[in-house]
């Protein structure tokens, strides 16, 4: 995902605010951090082989 879209989704504010950070969080900062950390983990640990195997087993389309 980094190559195509960059890593902005892992660093930016969930509401798109420029001044949001851990010291001065926006209303969704803490919840969004959990979601983006899980998304990053999923994208880093899912292999092309797993995706292909799920497709072959008709678990995905």
């Amino acid at each position: 995902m980094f190559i195509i879209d960059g890593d902005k989704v892992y660093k930016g504010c969930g509401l798109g605010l420029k001044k949001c950070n851990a010291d001065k969080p926006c209303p969704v900062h803490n919840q969004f951090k959990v979601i983006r950390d899980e998304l990053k983990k999923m994208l880093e640990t899912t292999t092309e082989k797993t995706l292909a195997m799920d497709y072959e087993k008709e678990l995905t389309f």
Side-chain angles (χ1 to χ4, degrees):
M1 181 158 182
F2 293 138
I3 295 170
I4 297 170
D5 297 327
D7 63 353
K8 184 177 178 181
V9 71
Y10 306 116
K11 296 180 179 181
C13 171
L15 296 177
L17 303 173
K18 294 182 181 194
K19 294 184 178 185
C20 172
N21 60 48
D23 294 329
K24 293 191 176 194
C26 75
V28 299
H29 180 86
N30 295 320
Q31 296 93 327
F32 187 69
K33 182 179 181 334
V34 172
I35 293 167
R36 71 177 174 203
D37 290 348
E38 285 296 316
L39 174 63
K40 183 177 182 193
K41 179 180 171 183
M42 184 269 303
L43 292 173
E44 289 177 344
T45 60
T46 301
T47 65
E48 290 179 14
K49 181 178 180 179
T50 300
L51 297 175
M53 290 176 65
D54 287 351
Y55 180 78
E56 287 178 6
K57 294 176 185 175
E58 297 183 353
L59 298 173
T60 61
F61 60 96

